[in-house]
Amino acid sequence: MFDCFYPDEIQESTYGINFDTLYKEGYRGLIFDIDNTLVPHGAPADSRAIALFTHLKEMGYQCCLLSNNQIDRVEMFNRDVQVHFIENAHKPSIKNYLAAMERMGTDRSNTIFIGDQLFTDVWGAKRAGIRNILVKPIHPKEEIQIVLKRYLEKIVLFFYNRKVGK
């Protein structure tokens, strides 16, 4: 019933994902949500995010930020990481997932999406045919519309965990 919202994988944090292994598996493009995936909501890129993107680019990954935020927010974060980005993405619409892959020169078979929300990030990635990794939100302080969605996410994740036997 909720399968369209089930993530392909769940990790505690973006910073705990083994990107070296994913690269060895043939993945070359990484699409990231920003808020509560890489930094707390509204925060600039911190030293951990800067180090992550430096490492990813050195490995050979192409990276793109895909955010429903406006350009000022996305540019502020991207100032220190310097990757492709698409603002006002209208996730879960697939249009900008596809545009992100085009900018990176990747395709569905070698791209992964990393985000913290089921109904925008994961659902959009699944609709676009991209492997996805759901990460737990970095910080509990969120906008009210996201707080409300988190209650619905708990229901979906309950059924997901039953299905995968957790």
Side-chain angles (χ1 to χ4, degrees):
M1 173 164 93
F2 295 122
D3 289 8
C4 64
F5 302 114
Y6 291 168
D8 294 330
E9 182 179 338
I10 298 177
Q11 291 286 329
E12 281 294 314
S13 165
T14 299
Y15 301 99
I17 297 170
N18 190 332
F19 291 104
D20 294 3
T21 298
L22 294 173
Y23 194 85
K24 289 175 188 166
E25 292 174 3
Y27 291 98
R28 296 298 181 263
L30 301 170
I31 306 172
F32 292 91
D33 176 52
I34 300 171
D35 288 327
N36 261 343
T37 297
L38 293 164
V39 293
H41 185 80
D46 57 17
S47 59
R48 192 164 65 157
I50 294 166
L52 174 66
F53 282 99
T54 299
H55 176 67
L56 294 174
K57 289 188 281 187
E58 286 171 352
M59 287 178 62
Y61 277 112
Q62 289 293 312
C63 300
C64 186
L65 306 171
L66 188 64
S67 175
N68 284 347
N69 281 303
Q70 299 303 308
I71 193 159
D72 292 348
R73 164 68 181 125
V74 180
E75 282 182 336
M76 183 254 290
F77 179 85
N78 194 47
R79 193 170 298 128
D80 292 321
V81 298
Q82 293 296 302
V83 295
H84 301 286
F85 69 86
I86 298 172
E87 79 284 348
N88 198 20
H90 300 287
K91 295 179 289 183
S93 169
I94 67 169
K95 175 185 171 189
N96 286 311
Y97 289 83
L98 301 175
M101 288 186 284
E102 186 175 317
R103 288 183 187 187
M104 295 186 301
T106 62
D107 59 40
R108 289 175 172 96
S109 71
N110 63 2
T111 303
I112 299 177
F113 183 90
I114 298 102
D116 70 300
Q117 292 188 53
L118 289 178
F119 302 126
T120 51
D121 300 330
V122 169
W123 189 31
K126 288 183 81 76
R127 293 176 66 221
I130 304 169
R131 180 177 170 183
N132 59 82
I133 300 173
L134 177 70
V135 295
K136 295 188 178 173
I138 289 175
H139 195 276
K141 184 175 185 272
E142 297 181 297
E143 296 173 343
I144 188 66
Q145 71 271 19
I146 296 172
V147 171
L148 297 173
K149 284 193 280 186
R150 294 288 185 205
Y151 289 110
L152 296 173
E153 285 183 352
K154 286 180 183 179
I155 295 167
V156 173
L157 289 172
F158 170 81
F159 287 102
Y160 168 80
N161 286 327
R162 272 190 26 189
K163 182 178 180 176
V164 299
K166 288 186 178 180

